[in-house]
Amino acid sequence: MAMMDEETKQEVKKILDSLENEVKIVFFKENINCPSCLPAEEFLKEISSLSQKLKLEIYNKYIDEEKTAQYSPAQLPAIFIETPFSQKRVVFYGIPAGYEFVSFLEAVKTSSSGKPELEQDTFEKLKTMSSKVNIKVFVTPTCPYCPAAVVLAQRMAVASENITAEMIESNEFPGLAAKYQVEGVPKIVINDKVHLVGAQPESSFVAAVIDSSKSG
């Protein structure tokens, strides 16, 4: 079943045709206890069919053990947007549907170009990082403010090899949402310690990331 109408497909195709470099999409699933894995797979197959610059790889977390060890997907479904610029640092847990489709396309574009749109001061601050930082951004498909937080986290992940950015669809992972006390979205969690609610100005987001890097 097609998830995009013909007009949307043509618009997406134009975006994908403009990609500077090939993008590998690595998808992890399982066949029993993952109700959103099948629609996520169908979504990725549909969008990958629109451009030869998208290369989709599909793995079962519990069968393809070598690939699972290589990528270490924490949740299922898991989508890694991989290029030499982003490596394995841009991740979607859950279907990037609704407003998060914007985040998905932006992740593909930025990972392809390796040229994240960030302020120059942000690049300089990210260069000072010496330890790893994990950014989780909890979202819902109907949240119009969530893509801004997700895209900013992803751009920082492309800019710095010390940052991993994960989009987590709260409705698909209620246990995780409860663990991190997600009562509103976007909810940003940095290194499982720093909690920010709402879309953040770039300067504030970067400052929180740098502080988390220093504190470990």
Side-chain angles (χ1 to χ4, degrees):
M1 179 180 176
M3 301 182 72
M4 293 180 282
D5 59 33
E6 194 58 38
E7 182 178 355
T8 302
K9 282 185 179 180
Q10 292 306 313
E11 292 177 0
V12 171
K13 190 175 186 305
K14 288 180 182 178
I15 294 172
L16 298 179
D17 284 343
S18 68
L19 294 178
E20 295 184 30
N21 298 289
E22 183 177 293
V23 176
K24 182 164 68 173
I25 301 174
V26 182
F27 175 62
F28 285 89
K29 65 175 183 175
E30 68 158 305
N31 297 327
I32 300 176
N33 297 313
C34 181
S36 58
C37 281
L38 180 57
E41 182 176 351
E42 291 176 347
F43 161 77
L44 293 174
K45 285 180 176 178
E46 184 174 359
I47 194 168
S48 297
S49 71
L50 300 178
S51 174
Q52 293 184 346
K53 293 182 179 179
L54 293 185
K55 305 299 180 183
L56 176 61
E57 297 181 4
I58 300 174
Y59 301 105
N60 186 301
K61 179 178 180 178
Y62 301 107
I63 296 175
D64 301 300
E65 296 180 355
E66 184 176 339
K67 286 294 182 180
T68 298
Q70 184 180 349
Y71 286 84
S72 300
Q75 315 294 331
L76 295 175
I79 304 167
F80 292 80
I81 309 298
E82 186 177 358
T83 70
F85 306 110
S86 61
Q87 297 180 13
K88 303 174 184 65
R89 301 191 303 272
V90 175
V91 191
F92 291 84
Y93 290 121
I95 305 172
Y99 284 103
E100 286 311 311
F101 188 42
V102 173
S103 302
F104 180 84
L105 291 177
E106 283 295 321
V108 169
K109 288 167 56 181
T110 302
S111 297
S112 173
S113 69
K115 303 170 185 174
E117 295 180 10
L118 296 167
E119 297 173 5
Q120 187 58 40
D121 186 56
T122 296
F123 286 110
E124 296 303 320
K125 289 179 178 177
L126 294 179
K127 289 178 183 177
T128 68
M129 293 178 60
S130 58
S131 60
K132 302 294 185 182
V133 169
N134 172 271
I135 305 172
K136 295 178 176 68
V137 184
F138 288 86
V139 305
T140 61
T142 57
C143 167
Y145 308 105
C146 290
V150 174
V151 169
L152 184 50
Q154 292 169 341
R155 288 175 177 173
M156 287 192 282
V158 173
S160 173
E161 62 183 15
N162 287 313
I163 297 175
T164 299
E166 302 173 351
M167 182 219 79
I168 301 174
E169 210 283 78
S170 298
N171 295 331
E172 293 184 43
F173 304 102
L176 268 185
K179 175 182 177 180
Y180 290 101
Q181 301 176 324
V182 178
E183 297 179 354
V185 290
K187 172 73 177 282
I188 301 165
V189 182
I190 305 173
N191 277 0
D192 289 351
K193 296 178 181 179
V194 177
H195 292 235
L196 305 172
V197 180
Q200 302 292 310
E202 184 171 325
S203 58
S204 300
F205 201 157
V206 173
V209 168
I210 298 300
D211 287 345
S212 297
S213 174
K214 292 176 181 177
S215 60

